[in-house]
Amino acid sequence: MRKLEFASLQVRDLETSKEFYTTKLGFEEAGISNPQACVFRYNKGEASFAIRTPIGNLEGKELGIGASLWFAIDGEIDDLQTQLLAKNVILLGPVQVTPFGKIIIAKDPDGYNITFLQAN
């Protein structure tokens, strides 16, 4: 295996999650029609992923534990942090410095960690 081609997250409420990813995080819908999923583009379509209705029964199960998607950003991480806080996005701590660069982690409605990276 040499490359992750696509990622899909199962969500409890497709419309709530779609609203979060578009309005609060700034992802664009890719325009692919599917009543059970929503495919997003980020950073001019360079990264794509989807949210979808559950494949199996999620009753009583925690989602998002141990999963994180990372997206590189073009701007400054501090500016993104300010924008996300203004939209009442839950952030998991302040900007962090990692070996890869500066990151900020947002928590989605199902508990998935969405990490934004300002690379070194």
Side-chain angles (χ1 to χ4, degrees):
M1 311 266 177
R2 60 180 176 80
K3 175 177 135 179
L4 175 65
E5 188 66 29
F6 193 73
S8 175
L9 304 175
Q10 294 183 70
V11 297
R12 295 186 193 286
D13 185 320
L14 188 61
E15 291 306 314
T16 297
S17 292
K18 188 187 306 186
E19 176 74 14
F20 175 81
Y21 280 95
T22 56
T23 304
K24 296 195 180 234
L25 297 188
F27 287 86
E28 301 172 41
E29 290 186 54
I32 298 170
S33 180
N34 182 335
Q36 296 173 328
C38 180
V39 179
F40 296 106
R41 295 182 305 194
Y42 183 72
N43 196 17
K44 300 176 187 160
E46 291 179 13
S48 295
F49 76 103
I51 56 173
R52 63 158 294 120
T53 56
I55 295 170
N57 183 358
L58 297 179
E59 188 67 36
K61 295 186 173 122
E62 284 190 75
L63 300 179
I65 301 301
S68 182
L69 297 181
W70 286 52
F71 295 93
I73 64 168
D74 290 328
E76 298 292 321
I77 200 78
D78 295 316
D79 294 339
L80 178 60
Q81 178 185 35
T82 299
Q83 293 167 14
L84 295 175
L85 288 172
K87 294 177 181 177
N88 297 315
V89 173
I90 296 171
L91 299 179
L92 302 179
V95 171
Q96 301 170 46
V97 177
T98 74
F100 310 109
K102 294 179 180 178
I103 64 168
I104 193 79
I105 304 169
K107 188 171 194 134
D108 92 341
D110 289 293
Y112 291 106
N113 293 337
I114 307 301
T115 303
F116 295 97
L117 167 70
Q118 178 187 332
N120 292 332

